[in-house]
Amino acid sequence: MDIKVCFFVLIAIQTQLCSGFLNFYMSLAEVHRFLGLEMELFYVRDGVVNDCAMNFVVPVPSKIESLYFTWESFARRTLSYSIGIDVSNEVALGTPKLNISKAGTVPNAAQTFSISLPCTGIVTAEVNVAIHVNITLMPINVTTLSFRRKKTCIKAEHLQNSHVRVDSAPAHSNSTNIFYSAVICATSLIAIIVSVSAAIHMKNKKLRRTREEMTNQAYLTAAPRNPTTSSYGSFRRMASYSLIDERCKDLQERIAELTIQRCRVRLNSVVLEGTFGRVYLGSYTDEEGVEEEVIIKTVTGHASQTQISLLLQEGMSMYSLNHRSILTILRVSIEDHTAPFLLYTYRNTTNMKVFLQKCKSNMEGVAHSLTTQEVVDMALQVIHAMQYLHKKHLLHKDLATRNCVIDDKLKVQIADNALSRDLFPADYYCLGDNENRPVKWLAIEGLLHKTFSTSSDVWSFGVLLWELTTLAQQPYVEIDPFEMAAYLKDGYRLAQPINCPDELFAVMAYCWAMSAEERPTFSQLQVCLQDFYAQLTLYV
Ligand SMILES: *[C@@H]1O[C@H](CO)[C@@H](O)[C@H](O)[C@H]1NC(C)=O
Ligand SMILES: *[C@@H]1O[C@H](CO)[C@@H](O)[C@H](O)[C@H]1NC(C)=O
Ligand SMILES: *[C@@H]1O[C@H](CO)[C@@H](O)[C@H](O)[C@H]1NC(C)=O
């Protein structure tokens, strides 16, 4: 089943609640407490029930005593409710207490109520808790909402040792541990919420829009942050990288240093072609007469002056870097000013996006598809390259599979984004500001304020990981680029790909935390994925 099919199946399982306008959700703070995510979780939004989120059994750790829900009615008529709570094990869990009455009318302003789940401490058990809320618009139309929770209760005192596992797992370092457990905790719920919400979002877009205008503050999830850009000042003219390295020379000088004569380059075959951009395979013969195979990025005669200088700027951004997982520019030929040649070392590599798409088209036959282990290994190579880049005080700002190359042994190199706008036009959008940006790879702060940081590269890495597991599907294919900011602000993210292990999806989801500070660092990602890789190899 492919993602789209899955998407439509999910659309089908939402239901309209009476004609009522009701919101019933977990607040930002509450979702944060359970999942560590900056988002609100709507069970009912404008009367539309998110059945899938509803059906998910949320685990409640022993430490958490109370659940909070927020609701609000916009209906003109009164909505009455009654609440009943079933508990599967009354020995382990005492009678839950509400701080609102068991029956009444849904308030017209957002109200938060609590349900306490007091463990008795008599036995250790996992207790199923079902909270049934009947909402009545008119005497004949009753809708029952059922929320299910699994509460862990622990026997008091002497048995505690054997249950340490509930709160702490053995780990390498403290921060990794926190990250790791947050990831595990977030895993499965997000998968369901995100995918279903996507469906609901689409359907309710119009309705929601008007509501959003009315209740702006209460509704939106994002809190503006100070982007952590301090030591990574943006260098505007370099379209894609921030360079503040003092030793960094001016573009002209760098080009001069790499310049070679055109006659030393031979073009063999076109590997990628856009409206004006071309990527060739060819060869370069140095002064000693040694020939080597190269990738050549260039433009045809139709390219404008701006496009040519952008090619040079972006192509030079990886200048003088030296890392096995980074494709560094080797030489430049600018004799013909209308068509400069940018040369890169060729090691039987292909563009990674193209490579993944080929894997996919092969899947109908017998041929190669990627194993989870291979995906994790590829991701780790990207992480190493990104760590190196950040150590050099460079930001990538356009990390995506289209800007990576890969060889047949699955060795990955990240590359600059020169020509990508032309070669992969579907990945870039102009949001009315004359700037063609990789909107669906951008972190929320990059999208809104054009600020970038190491954490925004982490966000893009999450999308890259999603591309690896979907064999380069287009992310958020159903979302209008102009809607992306609102969509992300509402807490929606990419859905879990089919066959993508929960562990891997949790890593991605964590990269997409609203707040830059809450995203993992590349070092944390490295530890996490290395652990996961080790686990995978255990079972092979
Ligand atoms: C009850 O709800 C259903 C579906 O939500 C709707 O079709 C029906 O018209 C409602 N009945 C009344 C009396 O409101
Ligand atoms: C909700 O309504 C159903 C039937 O409509 C009823 O069986 C159930 O007892 C009600 N629950 C509460 C908590 O009122
Ligand atoms: C219920 O308790 C929570 C937390 O203690 C509080 O925020 C909320 O306002 C209370 N609700 C009512 C209706 O008293």
Side-chain angles (χ1 to χ4, degrees), residues 365-521:
V366 235
H368 193 68
S369 83
L370 296 171
T371 65
T372 302
Q373 209 171 332
E374 287 167 334
V375 166
V376 174
D377 181 51
M378 287 155 72
L380 278 167
Q381 297 178 55
V382 174
I383 290 173
H384 289 140
M386 289 306 295
Q387 285 176 309
Y388 174 85
L389 207 61
H390 287 173
K391 216 165 70 192
K392 296 279 177 187
H393 294 279
L394 293 174
L395 299 177
H396 195 292
K397 296 190 182 179
D398 194 2
L399 185 58
T401 56
R402 64 181 168 274
N403 294 323
C404 296
V405 294
I406 187 166
D407 70 10
D408 46 10
K409 299 205 173 57
L410 303 184
K411 290 288 161 248
V412 179
Q413 289 183 303
I414 62 172
D416 59 59
N417 66 341
L419 298 181
S420 286
R421 284 181 198 79
D422 181 51
L423 300 172
F424 301 93
D427 295 0
Y428 293 86
Y429 305 94
C430 195
L431 300 184
D433 57 358
N434 241 344
E435 208 182 325
N436 215 359
R437 298 190 294 156
V439 166
K440 294 182 173 179
W441 279 260
L442 289 179
I444 180 84
E445 69 275 9
L447 194 53
L448 290 174
H449 313 297
K450 304 194 179 171
T451 53
F452 293 91
S453 63
T454 51
S455 312
S456 57
D457 275 347
V458 166
W459 179 299
S460 307
F461 170 79
V463 182
L464 180 145
L465 195 49
W466 185 90
E467 289 185 277
L468 291 182
T469 52
T470 57
L471 299 179
Q473 292 217 12
Q474 287 300 109
Y476 310 97
V477 71
E478 67 285 355
I479 309 298
D480 182 316
F482 284 91
E483 292 279 329
M484 273 306 290
Y487 186 78
L488 295 176
K489 268 197 203 166
D490 280 1
Y492 303 106
R493 298 291 186 268
L494 288 164
Q496 181 168 12
I498 312 291
N499 294 334
C500 169
D502 290 348
E503 289 89 337
L504 212 50
F505 182 64
V507 170
M508 294 173 208
Y510 214 64
C511 292
W512 304 323
M514 194 70 79
S515 141
E517 299 95 85
E518 279 171 25
R519 288 173 215 150
T521 62

Side-chain angles (χ1 to χ4, degrees), residues 114-144:
S114 70
I115 299 174
S116 68
L117 300 176
C119 287
T120 57
I122 297 170
V123 289
T124 293
E126 286 195 321
V127 185
N128 292 317
V129 179
I131 301 152
H132 305 288
V133 182
N134 281 357
I135 306 276
T136 315
L137 180 64
M138 290 196 292
I140 19 167
N141 234 344
V142 179
T143 306
T144 304

